[in-house]
Amino acid sequence: MDFQIKLFSWPDRGNHLIMITRGVIDIKGFEQIFREVVTATQPLHDCKIVIDLQDTACNLESADVQAFVDRTEPGLWPATNKIAIVSPREIDQYDQLLMLTSGLSKQGLKIAIFYDSKPAVTWLADTM
């Protein structure tokens, strides 16, 4: 797995983090992604986060996903931060990521999965 991460802070538009990943990703890769996101956004409030996984191949086992969700501490970043995951187009890839995002959402994280970046950005911009 390979990734690039960029943080933008604008006084009038807030904080935005974009992470683009490539390659094969397993649960260890997701742990690394979330560590990077937590490190970059922990001191920020109202941060909008896009994790683009369109160029990745996910290899997630249900038991590994459940263990990861169970270990995740929702208090690691502010409750006002939102995370949009942009999934690869393949249905099995989407299903694996849906299992992960659903579990994290039940833990209290504001996280959602999308096939395309445009609806992801629209969801992040929603202030309701």
Side-chain angles (χ1 to χ4, degrees):
M1 177 189 73
D2 212 10
F3 66 87
Q4 292 183 358
I5 190 168
K6 182 70 176 169
L7 177 64
F8 302 93
S9 291
W10 294 296
D12 59 334
R13 292 192 179 166
N15 303 301
H16 300 78
L17 182 130
I18 299 171
M19 176 181 259
I20 300 171
T21 63
R22 291 175 209 64
V24 178
I25 187 168
D26 59 9
I27 201 66
K28 297 264 187 229
F30 271 100
E31 290 170 357
Q32 182 180 2
I33 286 171
F34 276 83
R35 275 194 308 273
E36 294 287 336
V37 169
V38 166
T39 300
T41 64
Q42 197 164 28
L44 305 174
H45 295 281
D46 298 320
C47 190
K48 312 300 187 229
I49 302 156
V50 174
I51 302 173
D52 185 339
L53 302 174
Q54 289 180 342
D55 293 331
T56 63
C58 298
N59 185 15
L60 303 174
E61 300 294 330
S62 297
D64 293 338
V65 169
Q66 189 59 52
F68 175 76
V69 168
D70 291 344
R71 289 190 310 269
T72 301
E73 298 176 35
L76 288 177
W77 53 63
T80 55
N81 289 1
K82 291 173 77 174
I83 305 167
I85 305 274
V86 182
S87 169
R89 290 273 180 198
E90 296 79 12
I91 191 70
D92 64 318
Q93 301 290 293
Y94 181 88
D95 288 348
Q96 290 178 46
L97 292 168
L98 181 61
M99 179 175 45
L100 177 70
T101 57
S102 294
L104 292 172
S105 180
K106 288 176 186 173
Q107 293 280 51
L109 298 178
K110 292 181 183 174
I111 188 167
I113 185 170
F114 303 89
Y115 274 121
D116 191 65
S117 58
K118 187 171 181 174
V121 170
T122 300
W123 177 78
L124 287 172
D126 184 21
T127 57
M128 298 180 91

